[in-house]
Amino acid sequence: MSLKLSDSVLKGLQQLGTEISMDISKKLITNSLKHTLSPESSVPSVPDIYAANADKAKLSEYAVVSLLVVATKHCYEATALRTYLEKNEVQPIILEELVTTYENHREELTIRQLQLGSDFPHITDVQWRIMADVRSSTSDCSSGELNFHVNLGRYNESNGARETIVEFVCSTEELQLLINKLKEIERHCEKVAN
């Protein structure tokens, strides 16, 4: 997947090391990483980042946070990130600082995104069973309908335990509609891929 950042984000990255001094740029990248990884809403401010030009510093801080979040979300490799930043004329020293920061903290960034719920759950297991409404010796009424109990889940990477993501009951017709929708999605994805 190709990384796409807005013009304002690219401008914020491009002014690091040029319109914002190299020393301040490095502090800004470190502070932006803290903002990205922090589960709390506020990270202590670093006044010298904003002393010279607060507007440019805020734009660049936003740009670095955006870059880290989007690159993590799309599982971007460090080499691909480096190429993208070179293509968009980010200063070489800043480029290395950004790529190194991303590479060194990639696992923490991924864990943080999983905590925020910005990634869809990956369903890796489906369990199902048929439930039938049948007549018994204690009841005279029966609909004779078949229902399906479906459980979609995944296996936890750390302990191997199965976790349920969604569980539902549906009729034969509803299950057929779901299957058709999934097939439609698959066809659409194949068209887009070609």
Side-chain angles (χ1 to χ4, degrees), residues 35-185:
H35 280 294
T36 308
L37 293 177
S38 176
E40 298 166 18
S41 60
S42 64
V43 172
S45 184
V46 181
D48 36 326
I49 290 176
Y50 309 103
N53 190 332
D55 290 339
K56 288 182 180 181
K58 287 177 184 177
L59 178 62
S60 290
E61 196 170 48
Y62 166 75
V64 173
V65 169
S66 297
L67 174 72
L68 294 173
V69 168
V70 172
T72 303
K73 181 178 181 184
H74 295 291
C75 302
Y76 231 56
E77 293 297 323
T79 53
L81 182 62
R82 178 177 277 108
T83 303
Y84 179 79
L85 293 173
E86 285 171 352
K87 185 179 96 178
N88 285 287
E89 300 171 1
V90 173
Q91 289 294 320
I93 295 170
I94 296 302
L95 182 149
E96 286 305 316
E97 187 77 21
L98 288 167
V99 171
T100 302
T101 299
Y102 175 69
E103 215 167 8
N104 292 343
H105 299 280
R106 190 168 176 185
E107 186 175 328
E108 296 166 78
L109 289 163
T110 302
I111 290 169
R112 182 67 185 131
Q113 280 199 354
L114 290 172
Q115 293 168 341
L116 293 173
S118 62
D119 195 16
F120 292 113
H122 296 277
I123 295 173
T124 57
D125 185 54
V126 177
Q127 295 178 352
W128 61 275
R129 66 178 186 264
I130 298 174
M131 300 183 308
D133 183 14
V134 295
R135 186 177 300 188
S136 71
S137 61
T138 58
S139 172
D140 283 343
C141 60
S142 166
S143 66
E145 287 186 25
L146 290 178
N147 285 314
F148 294 87
H149 181 264
V150 181
N151 181 309
L152 305 175
R154 70 182 190 101
Y155 289 97
N156 188 315
E157 298 85 21
S158 59
N159 62 15
R162 188 181 188 287
E163 299 173 350
T164 296
I165 294 171
V166 68
E167 191 169 16
F168 58 92
V169 175
C170 61
S171 68
T172 306
E173 294 81 24
E174 292 168 331
L175 184 60
Q176 192 60 50
L177 283 171
L178 175 63
I179 291 168
N180 289 338
K181 288 288 183 187
L182 291 171
K183 286 179 181 178
E184 187 178 315
I185 291 168

